[in-house]
Amino acid sequence: MNSKIKKFAKNVSYTFLANFLSIIVSTVLILIVPGFIGADDYGYWQLYIFYTSYISYMSLGLTDGAYLRYGGCEYNELNKPVFVSQYWFLVTFDIVVNFSIALFYGSISTDTSKTIVVFLTCLTGILVVPRSLLTFMLQATNRIKEFSIIIILERIIYFILVIIFLLSGIRQFEYLIYADVIGKFFSVLYSFFVCKELVFGKFAPMKISMREIWLNISVGSRLLFANFANILIIGIVRFGIENNWGIETFGKVSLTLSISNMLMLFINALAVILFPALRRTSEQNLPAIYKMMRIIIIIPLLGLLIFYYPAKVILSAWLPQYAESLTYMALLFPMCLYESKMLLLINTYLKTLRKEKLMLVINLITVGISVVLTFISVFILNSLNLTILLIIFLLAFRSVIAELCLTKVFKIQVKKDIILEIIMTVFFIFVSWYLNIRVALIAYSIAYVVYLISKKNDIVYLLRNIKKFLNSK
Protein backbone atom coordinates (compact mmCIF):
# COMPACT_ATOMS: atom_id res chain seq x y z
CA MET A 1 0.00 0.00 0.00
CA ASN A 2 1.15 3.58 -0.72
CA SER A 3 3.10 4.95 2.28
CA LYS A 4 1.13 8.21 2.13
CA ILE A 5 -2.10 6.25 2.35
CA LYS A 6 -0.71 4.32 5.34
CA LYS A 7 0.16 7.55 7.14
CA PHE A 8 -3.22 9.04 6.25
CA ALA A 9 -4.96 5.91 7.58
CA LYS A 10 -2.89 6.08 10.80
CA ASN A 11 -3.87 9.71 11.31
CA VAL A 12 -7.51 8.85 10.61
CA SER A 13 -7.34 6.19 13.33
CA TYR A 14 -6.06 8.71 15.91
CA THR A 15 -8.63 11.34 15.03
CA PHE A 16 -11.34 8.72 14.78
CA LEU A 17 -10.59 7.61 18.34
CA ALA A 18 -10.54 11.21 19.62
CA ASN A 19 -13.73 12.17 17.86
CA PHE A 20 -15.45 8.85 18.56
CA LEU A 21 -14.93 9.57 22.25
CA SER A 22 -16.14 13.15 21.69
CA ILE A 23 -19.25 11.82 19.97
CA ILE A 24 -19.86 9.35 22.81
CA VAL A 25 -19.39 12.09 25.42
CA SER A 26 -21.61 14.54 23.53
CA THR A 27 -24.27 11.92 22.91
CA VAL A 28 -24.40 10.81 26.53
CA LEU A 29 -24.47 14.40 27.80
CA ILE A 30 -27.12 15.41 25.27
CA LEU A 31 -29.27 12.45 26.33
CA ILE A 32 -28.60 12.43 30.08
CA VAL A 33 -28.21 16.05 31.19
CA PRO A 34 -31.69 17.27 30.09
CA GLY A 35 -33.24 14.45 32.14
CA PHE A 36 -31.51 15.63 35.33
CA ILE A 37 -31.64 19.43 35.24
CA GLY A 38 -34.40 21.95 34.68
CA ALA A 39 -35.11 23.63 31.35
CA ASP A 40 -33.72 26.99 32.54
CA ASP A 41 -30.46 25.47 33.82
CA TYR A 42 -30.11 23.53 30.57
CA GLY A 43 -30.70 26.77 28.65
CA TYR A 44 -27.91 28.59 30.53
CA TRP A 45 -25.56 25.65 29.98
CA GLN A 46 -26.31 25.82 26.25
CA LEU A 47 -25.83 29.60 26.35
CA TYR A 48 -22.31 29.05 27.72
CA ILE A 49 -21.55 26.57 24.91
CA PHE A 50 -22.97 29.09 22.44
CA TYR A 51 -20.84 31.96 23.78
CA THR A 52 -17.64 29.89 23.84
CA SER A 53 -18.03 29.28 20.12
CA TYR A 54 -17.45 33.04 19.70
CA ILE A 55 -14.81 33.70 22.37
CA SER A 56 -12.36 31.41 20.56
CA TYR A 57 -12.15 33.95 17.73
CA MET A 58 -10.18 36.41 19.86
CA SER A 59 -6.93 35.34 18.24
CA LEU A 60 -7.00 38.27 15.79
CA GLY A 61 -6.38 35.72 13.03
CA LEU A 62 -2.86 34.96 14.30
CA THR A 63 -3.49 31.23 14.77
CA ASP A 64 -5.33 30.97 11.45
CA GLY A 65 -2.47 32.70 9.64
CA ALA A 66 0.12 30.39 11.18
CA TYR A 67 -2.04 27.40 10.20
CA LEU A 68 -2.29 28.54 6.59
CA ARG A 69 1.38 29.51 6.25
CA TYR A 70 2.85 26.42 7.89
CA GLY A 71 0.31 23.83 6.76
CA GLY A 72 2.24 20.86 5.33
CA CYS A 73 5.54 21.73 7.08
CA GLU A 74 7.42 19.48 9.48
CA TYR A 75 7.35 20.31 13.20
CA ASN A 76 11.15 20.44 13.47
CA GLU A 77 11.24 23.08 10.71
CA LEU A 78 9.35 25.62 12.84
CA ASN A 79 11.20 28.63 14.22
CA LYS A 80 10.56 27.88 17.90
CA PRO A 81 11.48 31.28 19.49
CA VAL A 82 9.07 33.04 17.12
CA PHE A 83 6.22 30.80 18.31
CA VAL A 84 7.14 31.32 21.97
CA SER A 85 6.73 35.07 21.39
CA GLN A 86 3.40 34.57 19.64
CA TYR A 87 2.03 32.26 22.32
CA TRP A 88 2.69 34.69 25.18
CA PHE A 89 1.43 37.59 23.09
CA LEU A 90 -1.89 35.74 22.81
CA VAL A 91 -1.94 34.97 26.55
CA THR A 92 -1.40 38.65 27.43
CA PHE A 93 -3.87 39.92 24.85
CA ASP A 94 -6.62 37.52 25.91
CA ILE A 95 -6.21 38.22 29.62
CA VAL A 96 -6.65 41.95 28.97
CA VAL A 97 -9.59 41.57 26.56
CA ASN A 98 -11.53 38.92 28.51
CA PHE A 99 -11.02 40.70 31.83
CA SER A 100 -12.36 43.91 30.24
CA ILE A 101 -15.42 42.09 28.84
CA ALA A 102 -16.17 40.46 32.20
CA LEU A 103 -15.75 43.77 34.06
CA PHE A 104 -17.98 45.65 31.61
CA TYR A 105 -20.74 43.02 31.54
CA GLY A 106 -20.71 42.67 35.32
CA SER A 107 -21.27 46.42 35.68
CA ILE A 108 -24.37 46.52 33.44
CA SER A 109 -26.00 43.10 33.89
CA THR A 110 -29.05 42.50 36.05
CA ASP A 111 -29.26 38.76 35.33
CA THR A 112 -27.00 36.94 37.80
CA SER A 113 -27.09 33.64 35.88
CA LYS A 114 -26.11 35.30 32.60
CA THR A 115 -23.30 37.15 34.40
CA ILE A 116 -21.92 33.83 35.64
CA VAL A 117 -22.12 32.45 32.09
CA VAL A 118 -20.23 35.45 30.69
CA PHE A 119 -17.53 35.35 33.41
CA LEU A 120 -16.86 31.63 32.87
CA THR A 121 -16.89 32.14 29.10
CA CYS A 122 -14.16 34.78 29.49
CA LEU A 123 -12.11 32.40 31.65
CA THR A 124 -12.48 29.75 28.94
CA GLY A 125 -11.27 32.25 26.35
CA ILE A 126 -8.03 32.82 28.26
CA LEU A 127 -7.40 29.05 28.15
CA VAL A 128 -8.47 28.03 24.66
CA VAL A 129 -7.32 30.94 22.46
CA PRO A 130 -3.58 30.63 23.22
CA ARG A 131 -3.95 26.84 23.17
CA SER A 132 -5.36 27.07 19.64
CA LEU A 133 -1.96 28.22 18.37
CA LEU A 134 -0.45 24.97 19.66
CA THR A 135 -3.24 22.70 18.40
CA PHE A 136 -3.25 24.42 15.00
CA MET A 137 0.48 23.86 14.63
CA LEU A 138 0.09 20.20 15.60
CA GLN A 139 -2.53 19.87 12.87
CA ALA A 140 -0.52 21.88 10.32
CA THR A 141 2.59 19.75 10.87
CA ASN A 142 0.64 16.48 10.85
CA ARG A 143 1.24 15.64 14.53
CA ILE A 144 -2.28 14.27 14.67
CA LYS A 145 -1.63 11.83 17.51
CA GLU A 146 -0.68 14.59 19.98
CA PHE A 147 -3.55 16.79 18.83
CA SER A 148 -5.97 13.89 19.32
CA ILE A 149 -4.75 13.22 22.86
CA ILE A 150 -5.38 16.87 23.80
CA ILE A 151 -9.00 16.53 22.64
CA ILE A 152 -9.43 13.14 24.33
CA LEU A 153 -8.06 14.43 27.65
CA GLU A 154 -10.36 17.47 27.65
CA ARG A 155 -13.50 15.50 26.81
CA ILE A 156 -12.87 12.62 29.25
CA ILE A 157 -12.25 14.92 32.22
CA TYR A 158 -15.30 16.98 31.29
CA PHE A 159 -17.46 13.87 30.97
CA ILE A 160 -16.31 12.27 34.24
CA LEU A 161 -16.86 15.46 36.24
CA VAL A 162 -20.34 16.03 34.79
CA ILE A 163 -21.37 12.46 35.68
CA ILE A 164 -19.93 12.84 39.21
CA PHE A 165 -21.85 16.09 39.72
CA LEU A 166 -25.13 14.63 38.46
CA LEU A 167 -24.80 11.44 40.54
CA SER A 168 -23.98 13.56 43.60
CA GLY A 169 -27.26 15.41 43.19
CA ILE A 170 -25.68 18.64 41.91
CA ARG A 171 -28.08 20.07 39.33
CA GLN A 172 -26.94 23.70 38.92
CA PHE A 173 -25.69 24.68 35.46
CA GLU A 174 -22.59 26.35 36.93
CA TYR A 175 -21.08 22.98 37.82
CA LEU A 176 -21.52 21.70 34.28
CA ILE A 177 -19.52 24.71 33.12
CA TYR A 178 -16.89 24.18 35.85
CA ALA A 179 -16.41 20.65 34.49
CA ASP A 180 -15.75 22.01 31.00
CA VAL A 181 -13.29 24.65 32.28
CA ILE A 182 -11.37 22.06 34.32
CA GLY A 183 -11.18 19.72 31.31
CA LYS A 184 -9.80 22.54 29.18
CA PHE A 185 -7.30 23.52 31.88
CA PHE A 186 -5.75 20.04 32.01
CA SER A 187 -5.70 19.81 28.21
CA VAL A 188 -3.73 23.09 28.19
CA LEU A 189 -1.21 21.57 30.60
CA TYR A 190 -0.78 18.57 28.31
CA SER A 191 -0.40 20.86 25.27
CA PHE A 192 2.50 22.52 27.15
CA PHE A 193 4.14 19.09 27.42
CA VAL A 194 3.85 18.15 23.72
CA CYS A 195 4.63 21.67 22.44
CA LYS A 196 7.07 22.81 25.12
CA GLU A 197 9.42 24.24 22.47
CA LEU A 198 6.62 26.58 21.34
CA VAL A 199 5.76 27.74 24.87
CA PHE A 200 8.93 27.79 26.95
CA GLY A 201 12.26 29.17 25.86
CA LYS A 202 13.81 32.34 24.57
CA PHE A 203 11.68 34.92 22.82
CA ALA A 204 12.64 35.91 19.30
CA PRO A 205 13.98 39.47 18.94
CA MET A 206 11.18 42.05 19.24
CA LYS A 207 11.41 43.17 15.62
CA ILE A 208 11.22 39.60 14.27
CA SER A 209 8.42 38.67 16.69
CA MET A 210 6.28 41.67 15.76
CA ARG A 211 6.86 41.09 12.06
CA GLU A 212 5.82 37.44 12.36
CA ILE A 213 2.76 38.33 14.46
CA TRP A 214 1.70 40.97 11.95
CA LEU A 215 2.27 38.64 9.01
CA ASN A 216 0.19 35.85 10.55
CA ILE A 217 -2.58 38.27 11.48
CA SER A 218 -2.66 39.80 8.00
CA VAL A 219 -2.79 36.34 6.39
CA GLY A 220 -5.19 34.79 8.89
CA SER A 221 -7.58 37.69 9.50
CA ARG A 222 -9.58 36.97 6.35
CA LEU A 223 -9.92 33.31 7.32
CA LEU A 224 -10.78 34.36 10.90
CA PHE A 225 -13.50 36.73 9.72
CA ALA A 226 -14.73 34.11 7.25
CA ASN A 227 -15.03 31.56 10.07
CA PHE A 228 -16.56 34.13 12.41
CA ALA A 229 -19.11 35.07 9.75
CA ASN A 230 -19.75 31.35 9.34
CA ILE A 231 -20.89 30.88 12.94
CA LEU A 232 -22.81 34.17 12.80
CA ILE A 233 -25.03 32.68 10.09
CA ILE A 234 -26.73 30.41 12.63
CA GLY A 235 -25.73 32.55 15.60
CA ILE A 236 -27.90 35.47 14.52
CA VAL A 237 -30.90 33.15 14.27
CA ARG A 238 -30.17 31.73 17.73
CA PHE A 239 -29.75 35.21 19.20
CA GLY A 240 -33.17 36.05 17.76
CA ILE A 241 -34.72 32.94 19.32
CA GLU A 242 -33.21 33.64 22.76
CA ASN A 243 -34.23 37.31 22.62
CA ASN A 244 -37.81 36.72 21.48
CA TRP A 245 -38.80 33.37 23.02
CA GLY A 246 -36.58 33.20 26.14
CA ILE A 247 -33.89 30.97 27.62
CA GLU A 248 -36.10 27.86 27.92
CA THR A 249 -37.01 27.83 24.20
CA PHE A 250 -33.37 28.62 23.37
CA GLY A 251 -32.28 25.56 25.37
CA LYS A 252 -34.81 23.29 23.67
CA VAL A 253 -33.83 24.46 20.19
CA SER A 254 -30.15 24.09 21.16
CA LEU A 255 -30.81 20.48 22.16
CA THR A 256 -32.20 19.80 18.69
CA LEU A 257 -29.23 21.57 17.08
CA SER A 258 -26.80 19.55 19.24
CA ILE A 259 -28.39 16.27 18.15
CA SER A 260 -28.30 17.33 14.50
CA ASN A 261 -24.65 18.43 14.84
CA MET A 262 -23.22 15.32 16.54
CA LEU A 263 -21.95 13.93 13.25
CA MET A 264 -19.96 17.13 12.67
CA LEU A 265 -17.41 16.07 15.28
CA PHE A 266 -16.22 13.20 13.10
CA ILE A 267 -16.43 15.28 9.91
CA ASN A 268 -14.25 17.93 11.55
CA ALA A 269 -11.69 15.25 12.40
CA LEU A 270 -11.36 14.28 8.75
CA ALA A 271 -11.03 17.94 7.73
CA VAL A 272 -8.11 18.30 10.18
CA ILE A 273 -6.24 15.49 8.38
CA LEU A 274 -7.27 16.44 4.86
CA PHE A 275 -5.87 20.00 4.86
CA PRO A 276 -2.14 19.21 5.34
CA ALA A 277 -2.53 16.21 3.00
CA LEU A 278 -3.99 18.39 0.23
CA ARG A 279 -1.27 21.02 0.73
CA ARG A 280 1.26 18.32 -0.16
CA THR A 281 -0.76 17.18 -3.23
CA SER A 282 -0.08 18.33 -6.77
CA GLU A 283 -2.68 20.92 -7.89
CA GLN A 284 -3.48 18.90 -11.00
CA ASN A 285 -4.73 16.01 -8.83
CA LEU A 286 -7.07 18.17 -6.74
CA PRO A 287 -10.11 18.03 -9.10
CA ALA A 288 -10.09 14.20 -9.26
CA ILE A 289 -9.76 13.95 -5.47
CA TYR A 290 -12.60 16.45 -5.10
CA LYS A 291 -14.94 14.33 -7.23
CA MET A 292 -14.17 11.23 -5.19
CA MET A 293 -14.47 13.00 -1.84
CA ARG A 294 -17.79 14.46 -2.88
CA ILE A 295 -19.23 11.02 -3.63
CA ILE A 296 -17.81 9.62 -0.37
CA ILE A 297 -19.46 12.40 1.66
CA ILE A 298 -22.84 12.98 0.03
CA ILE A 299 -24.16 9.47 -0.61
CA PRO A 300 -23.72 8.16 2.98
CA LEU A 301 -24.97 11.42 4.53
CA LEU A 302 -28.22 11.33 2.58
CA GLY A 303 -28.60 7.75 3.82
CA LEU A 304 -27.94 8.80 7.42
CA LEU A 305 -31.06 10.97 7.34
CA ILE A 306 -33.02 7.71 7.71
CA PHE A 307 -31.74 7.48 11.31
CA TYR A 308 -33.78 10.58 12.14
CA TYR A 309 -36.92 8.45 12.48
CA PRO A 310 -35.75 5.96 15.14
CA ALA A 311 -33.80 8.76 16.87
CA LYS A 312 -36.93 10.86 17.24
CA VAL A 313 -38.94 7.95 18.68
CA ILE A 314 -36.21 7.05 21.22
CA LEU A 315 -35.47 10.62 22.28
CA SER A 316 -39.14 11.55 22.64
CA ALA A 317 -39.61 8.58 24.98
CA TRP A 318 -36.49 9.41 27.00
CA LEU A 319 -37.04 13.19 27.15
CA PRO A 320 -40.81 13.71 27.11
CA GLN A 321 -40.44 17.29 28.34
CA TYR A 322 -38.52 18.03 25.12
CA ALA A 323 -40.81 16.02 22.80
CA GLU A 324 -42.31 19.15 21.25
CA SER A 325 -38.92 20.70 20.45
CA LEU A 326 -37.66 17.39 19.00
CA THR A 327 -40.18 17.82 16.15
CA TYR A 328 -37.83 20.52 14.87
CA MET A 329 -35.29 17.81 14.09
CA ALA A 330 -37.30 17.27 10.89
CA LEU A 331 -36.27 20.77 9.83
CA LEU A 332 -32.71 20.70 11.15
CA PHE A 333 -31.46 17.15 10.57
CA PRO A 334 -30.42 17.82 6.93
CA MET A 335 -28.05 20.54 8.16
CA CYS A 336 -25.43 17.81 8.70
CA LEU A 337 -25.40 17.29 4.91
CA TYR A 338 -24.62 20.91 4.03
CA GLU A 339 -22.37 21.60 7.01
CA SER A 340 -20.35 18.42 6.36
CA LYS A 341 -19.89 19.23 2.70
CA MET A 342 -18.89 22.79 3.56
CA LEU A 343 -16.49 21.88 6.36
CA LEU A 344 -14.82 18.77 4.99
CA LEU A 345 -14.79 19.52 1.28
CA ILE A 346 -15.41 23.11 0.24
CA ASN A 347 -13.66 25.00 3.05
CA THR A 348 -10.71 22.60 3.04
CA TYR A 349 -10.23 23.11 -0.70
CA LEU A 350 -10.65 26.88 -0.48
CA LYS A 351 -7.97 27.02 2.25
CA THR A 352 -5.70 24.76 0.19
CA LEU A 353 -6.08 27.08 -2.82
CA ARG A 354 -5.69 30.12 -0.50
CA LYS A 355 -9.14 31.47 -1.38
CA GLU A 356 -9.85 32.91 2.07
CA LYS A 357 -11.20 36.12 0.52
CA LEU A 358 -13.81 34.14 -1.41
CA MET A 359 -14.79 32.30 1.80
CA LEU A 360 -15.18 35.65 3.54
CA VAL A 361 -17.31 37.20 0.80
CA ILE A 362 -19.67 34.19 0.60
CA ASN A 363 -20.06 34.04 4.39
CA LEU A 364 -20.67 37.80 4.67
CA ILE A 365 -23.36 37.65 2.00
CA THR A 366 -25.03 34.80 3.88
CA VAL A 367 -24.75 36.70 7.18
CA GLY A 368 -26.46 39.69 5.54
CA ILE A 369 -29.31 37.45 4.37
CA SER A 370 -29.45 35.91 7.86
CA VAL A 371 -29.89 39.35 9.49
CA VAL A 372 -32.72 40.37 7.15
CA LEU A 373 -34.63 37.08 7.21
CA THR A 374 -34.19 36.62 10.98
CA PHE A 375 -35.61 40.08 11.61
CA ILE A 376 -38.62 39.27 9.42
CA SER A 377 -39.29 35.81 10.87
CA VAL A 378 -38.68 36.77 14.53
CA PHE A 379 -39.85 40.35 14.96
CA ILE A 380 -42.40 40.76 12.18
CA LEU A 381 -43.93 37.30 11.63
CA ASN A 382 -43.11 36.01 15.15
CA SER A 383 -42.85 32.46 13.76
CA LEU A 384 -40.58 30.00 15.56
CA ASN A 385 -41.14 27.34 12.88
CA LEU A 386 -40.06 29.69 10.10
CA THR A 387 -37.07 30.90 12.14
CA ILE A 388 -35.81 27.34 12.63
CA LEU A 389 -36.41 26.46 8.98
CA LEU A 390 -34.32 29.52 8.14
CA ILE A 391 -31.23 27.75 9.54
CA ILE A 392 -31.27 24.97 6.96
CA PHE A 393 -32.07 27.44 4.17
CA LEU A 394 -29.05 29.61 5.03
CA LEU A 395 -26.67 26.64 5.29
CA ALA A 396 -27.89 25.22 1.98
CA PHE A 397 -27.60 28.62 0.27
CA ARG A 398 -24.02 29.13 1.44
CA SER A 399 -22.98 25.59 0.51
CA VAL A 400 -24.44 25.81 -3.01
CA ILE A 401 -22.92 29.22 -3.79
CA ALA A 402 -19.49 28.23 -2.42
CA GLU A 403 -19.41 24.94 -4.31
CA LEU A 404 -20.41 26.57 -7.59
CA CYS A 405 -17.55 29.07 -7.18
CA LEU A 406 -15.05 26.35 -6.29
CA THR A 407 -16.00 23.93 -9.08
CA LYS A 408 -15.79 26.77 -11.57
CA VAL A 409 -12.06 26.94 -10.75
CA PHE A 410 -11.71 23.17 -11.32
CA LYS A 411 -14.09 23.18 -14.31
CA ILE A 412 -16.18 20.40 -12.74
CA GLN A 413 -19.92 20.08 -13.39
CA VAL A 414 -21.91 19.56 -10.18
CA LYS A 415 -25.16 21.43 -10.87
CA LYS A 416 -27.19 18.24 -11.44
CA ASP A 417 -25.82 16.75 -8.21
CA ILE A 418 -26.67 19.92 -6.28
CA ILE A 419 -30.25 19.92 -7.63
CA LEU A 420 -30.66 16.24 -6.69
CA GLU A 421 -29.43 16.94 -3.14
CA ILE A 422 -31.84 19.87 -2.77
CA ILE A 423 -34.73 17.69 -3.96
CA MET A 424 -33.80 14.97 -1.46
CA THR A 425 -33.51 17.54 1.35
CA VAL A 426 -36.84 19.20 0.59
CA PHE A 427 -38.51 15.78 0.26
CA PHE A 428 -37.10 14.66 3.63
CA ILE A 429 -38.30 17.82 5.40
CA PHE A 430 -41.75 17.62 3.78
CA VAL A 431 -42.49 13.97 4.58
CA SER A 432 -40.93 14.19 8.07
CA TRP A 433 -42.97 17.26 9.00
CA TYR A 434 -46.35 16.39 7.50
CA LEU A 435 -46.57 12.56 7.56
CA ASN A 436 -46.62 10.18 10.51
CA ILE A 437 -43.23 8.76 11.31
CA ARG A 438 -43.78 5.26 9.84
CA VAL A 439 -45.10 6.52 6.48
CA ALA A 440 -42.35 9.16 6.33
CA LEU A 441 -39.67 6.51 6.94
CA ILE A 442 -40.99 4.32 4.10
CA ALA A 443 -41.36 7.30 1.74
CA TYR A 444 -37.83 8.63 2.33
CA SER A 445 -36.26 5.14 2.17
CA ILE A 446 -37.84 4.60 -1.26
CA ALA A 447 -36.61 8.01 -2.39
CA TYR A 448 -33.08 7.17 -1.20
CA VAL A 449 -33.06 3.87 -3.12
CA VAL A 450 -34.11 5.74 -6.27
CA TYR A 451 -31.30 8.24 -5.59
CA LEU A 452 -28.73 5.41 -5.26
CA ILE A 453 -29.85 3.94 -8.59
CA SER A 454 -29.44 7.35 -10.25
CA LYS A 455 -25.89 7.57 -8.81
CA LYS A 456 -24.83 4.07 -9.91
CA ASN A 457 -22.16 5.34 -12.31
CA ASP A 458 -20.62 7.60 -9.65
CA ILE A 459 -20.44 4.71 -7.17
CA VAL A 460 -18.70 2.50 -9.75
CA TYR A 461 -16.26 5.36 -10.55
CA LEU A 462 -15.47 5.74 -6.85
CA LEU A 463 -14.83 2.04 -6.24
CA ARG A 464 -12.50 1.80 -9.23
CA ASN A 465 -10.43 4.77 -8.10
CA ILE A 466 -10.20 3.56 -4.50
CA LYS A 467 -8.90 0.23 -5.76
CA LYS A 468 -6.36 2.03 -7.94
CA PHE A 469 -5.10 4.13 -4.98
CA LEU A 470 -4.82 1.11 -2.68
CA ASN A 471 -2.80 -0.82 -5.24
CA SER A 472 -0.43 2.06 -6.00
CA LYS A 473 3.05 1.97 -4.52
Coordinates of all heavy atoms in Angstrom, one line a residue, residues 235-266:
G235 N -25.7 31.8 14.3 CA -25.7 32.5 15.6 C -26.8 33.7 15.7 O -27.4 33.9 16.7
I236 N -26.9 34.4 14.6 CA -27.9 35.5 14.5 C -29.3 34.9 14.7 O -30.1 35.5 15.5 CB -27.8 36.2 13.2 CG1 -26.5 37.1 13.1 CG2 -29.0 37.1 13.0 CD1 -26.2 37.6 11.8
V237 N -29.6 33.8 14.1 CA -30.9 33.2 14.3 C -31.1 32.7 15.7 O -32.2 33.0 16.3 CB -31.1 31.9 13.3 CG1 -32.4 31.3 13.5 CG2 -30.8 32.3 11.9
R238 N -30.1 32.2 16.3 CA -30.2 31.7 17.7 C -30.3 32.9 18.7 O -31.0 32.8 19.7 CB -29.0 30.9 18.1 CG -28.9 29.5 17.3 CD -27.7 28.7 17.7 NE -27.8 28.2 19.0 CZ -26.9 27.5 19.7 NH1 -25.7 27.3 19.1 NH2 -27.1 27.0 20.9
F239 N -29.6 34.0 18.4 CA -29.8 35.2 19.2 C -31.2 35.7 19.1 O -31.8 36.1 20.1 CB -28.8 36.3 18.7 CG -27.5 36.3 19.3 CD1 -26.3 36.2 18.5 CD2 -27.3 36.4 20.7 CE1 -25.1 36.2 19.1 CE2 -26.0 36.4 21.3 CZ -24.9 36.3 20.4
G240 N -31.8 35.6 17.9 CA -33.2 36.1 17.8 C -34.1 35.2 18.6 O -35.1 35.7 19.2
I241 N -33.9 33.9 18.6 CA -34.7 32.9 19.3 C -34.6 33.2 20.8 O -35.6 33.3 21.5 CB -34.3 31.5 19.0 CG1 -34.7 31.1 17.6 CG2 -35.0 30.5 20.0 CD1 -34.1 29.8 17.1
E242 N -33.4 33.4 21.3 CA -33.2 33.6 22.8 C -33.8 35.0 23.2 O -34.5 35.1 24.2 CB -31.7 33.6 23.1 CG -31.4 33.5 24.6 CD -31.3 34.9 25.3 OE1 -30.9 35.8 24.6 OE2 -31.5 34.9 26.5
N243 N -33.7 36.0 22.3 CA -34.2 37.3 22.6 C -35.8 37.3 22.6 O -36.4 38.0 23.4 CB -33.7 38.3 21.6 CG -34.1 39.7 21.9 OD1 -35.2 40.2 21.4 ND2 -33.4 40.4 22.7
N244 N -36.4 36.6 21.7 CA -37.8 36.7 21.5 C -38.6 35.7 22.3 O -39.7 35.9 22.7 CB -38.1 36.6 20.0 CG -39.5 37.1 19.7 OD1 -39.9 38.3 20.1 ND2 -40.3 36.4 19.0
W245 N -38.0 34.5 22.4 CA -38.8 33.4 23.0 C -38.2 32.9 24.4 O -38.8 32.0 25.0 CB -38.9 32.2 22.1 CG -39.9 32.5 20.9 CD1 -41.2 32.5 21.0 CD2 -39.5 32.8 19.6 NE1 -41.8 32.8 19.7 CE2 -40.7 33.0 18.9 CE3 -38.3 32.9 18.9 CZ2 -40.8 33.3 17.5 CZ3 -38.4 33.2 17.5 CH2 -39.6 33.4 16.8
G246 N -37.1 33.5 24.8 CA -36.6 33.2 26.1 C -35.6 32.1 26.2 O -35.4 31.3 25.3
I247 N -35.0 31.9 27.4 CA -33.9 31.0 27.6 C -34.4 29.5 27.5 O -33.6 28.6 27.1 CB -33.2 31.2 29.0 CG1 -31.8 30.5 29.1 CG2 -34.1 30.9 30.1 CD1 -30.8 31.0 28.1
E248 N -35.6 29.2 28.0 CA -36.1 27.9 27.9 C -36.3 27.4 26.5 O -35.8 26.3 26.1 CB -37.4 27.8 28.6 CG -38.0 26.3 28.7 CD -39.2 26.2 29.6 OE1 -39.5 27.1 30.4 OE2 -40.0 25.2 29.4
T249 N -36.9 28.2 25.6 CA -37.0 27.8 24.2 C -35.6 27.7 23.5 O -35.4 26.8 22.7 CB -37.9 28.9 23.5 OG1 -39.2 28.9 24.1 CG2 -38.0 28.5 22.0
F250 N -34.7 28.7 23.9 CA -33.4 28.6 23.4 C -32.7 27.3 23.7 O -32.1 26.7 22.9 CB -32.5 29.8 24.0 CG -31.1 29.8 23.6 CD1 -30.7 30.3 22.4 CD2 -30.1 29.2 24.4 CE1 -29.3 30.3 22.0 CE2 -28.8 29.1 24.0 CZ -28.4 29.7 22.8
G251 N -32.9 26.8 24.9 CA -32.3 25.6 25.4 C -32.9 24.4 24.6 O -32.1 23.5 24.2
K252 N -34.2 24.4 24.4 CA -34.8 23.3 23.7 C -34.4 23.2 22.2 O -34.1 22.2 21.7 CB -36.3 23.4 23.8 CG -36.8 23.1 25.2 CD -38.4 23.2 25.3 CE -38.8 22.9 26.7 NZ -40.3 23.0 26.8
V253 N -34.3 24.4 21.6 CA -33.8 24.5 20.2 C -32.4 24.0 20.1 O -31.9 23.3 19.2 CB -34.0 25.9 19.6 CG1 -33.4 26.0 18.2 CG2 -35.5 26.2 19.5
S254 N -31.6 24.5 21.1 CA -30.1 24.1 21.2 C -30.0 22.6 21.3 O -29.0 22.0 20.7 CB -29.5 24.8 22.3 OG -29.5 26.2 22.1
L255 N -30.9 21.9 22.1 CA -30.8 20.5 22.2 C -31.0 19.8 20.8 O -30.2 18.9 20.4 CB -31.9 20.0 23.1 CG -32.1 18.5 23.2 CD1 -30.9 17.8 23.7 CD2 -33.3 18.1 24.0
T256 N -32.0 20.3 20.0 CA -32.2 19.8 18.7 C -31.0 20.1 17.8 O -30.6 19.2 17.0 CB -33.5 20.4 18.1 OG1 -34.5 20.3 19.0 CG2 -33.8 19.8 16.8
L257 N -30.4 21.2 17.9 CA -29.2 21.6 17.1 C -28.1 20.7 17.5 O -27.3 20.2 16.6 CB -28.8 23.0 17.3 CG -29.6 24.1 16.5 CD1 -29.3 25.5 17.0 CD2 -29.3 24.0 15.0
S258 N -27.9 20.4 18.8 CA -26.8 19.6 19.2 C -26.9 18.1 18.7 O -25.9 17.5 18.3 CB -26.8 19.5 20.8 OG -26.6 20.8 21.3
I259 N -28.2 17.6 18.7 CA -28.4 16.3 18.1 C -28.1 16.2 16.7 O -27.4 15.3 16.2 CB -29.8 15.8 18.4 CG1 -30.1 15.7 19.9 CG2 -30.2 14.5 17.7 CD1 -31.5 15.5 20.3
S260 N -28.5 17.3 15.9 CA -28.3 17.3 14.5 C -26.8 17.5 14.2 O -26.4 17.1 13.1 CB -29.1 18.5 13.9 OG -30.5 18.3 14.1
N261 N -26.1 18.1 15.1 CA -24.7 18.4 14.8 C -23.7 17.4 15.3 O -22.5 17.5 15.1 CB -24.3 19.8 15.5 CG -24.5 20.9 14.6 OD1 -24.3 20.8 13.4 ND2 -24.8 22.1 15.1
M262 N -24.1 16.3 16.0 CA -23.2 15.3 16.5 C -22.3 14.7 15.5 O -21.1 14.5 15.8 CB -24.0 14.2 17.2 CG -24.5 14.6 18.6 SD -25.1 13.2 19.5 CE -26.5 12.6 18.5
L263 N -22.8 14.5 14.3 CA -22.0 13.9 13.3 C -20.8 14.8 12.9 O -19.8 14.4 12.4 CB -22.8 13.6 12.0 CG -22.1 12.9 10.8 CD1 -21.7 11.5 11.2 CD2 -23.1 12.9 9.7
M264 N -21.0 16.2 13.1 CA -20.0 17.1 12.7 C -18.6 16.9 13.4 O -17.6 17.3 12.9 CB -20.5 18.5 12.9 CG -21.7 18.9 12.1 SD -21.5 18.6 10.3 CE -20.1 19.7 10.0
L265 N -18.7 16.3 14.6 CA -17.4 16.1 15.3 C -16.5 15.2 14.5 O -15.3 15.4 14.4 CB -17.7 15.4 16.6 CG -18.4 16.3 17.7 CD1 -18.9 15.5 18.9 CD2 -17.4 17.4 18.2
F266 N -17.0 14.1 13.9 CA -16.2 13.2 13.1 C -15.8 13.9 11.8 O -14.7 13.7 11.3 CB -17.0 11.9 12.8 CG -16.2 10.9 12.1 CD1 -15.1 10.3 12.6 CD2 -16.6 10.5 10.8 CE1 -14.3 9.4 11.9 CE2 -15.8 9.6 10.1 CZ -14.7 9.0 10.6

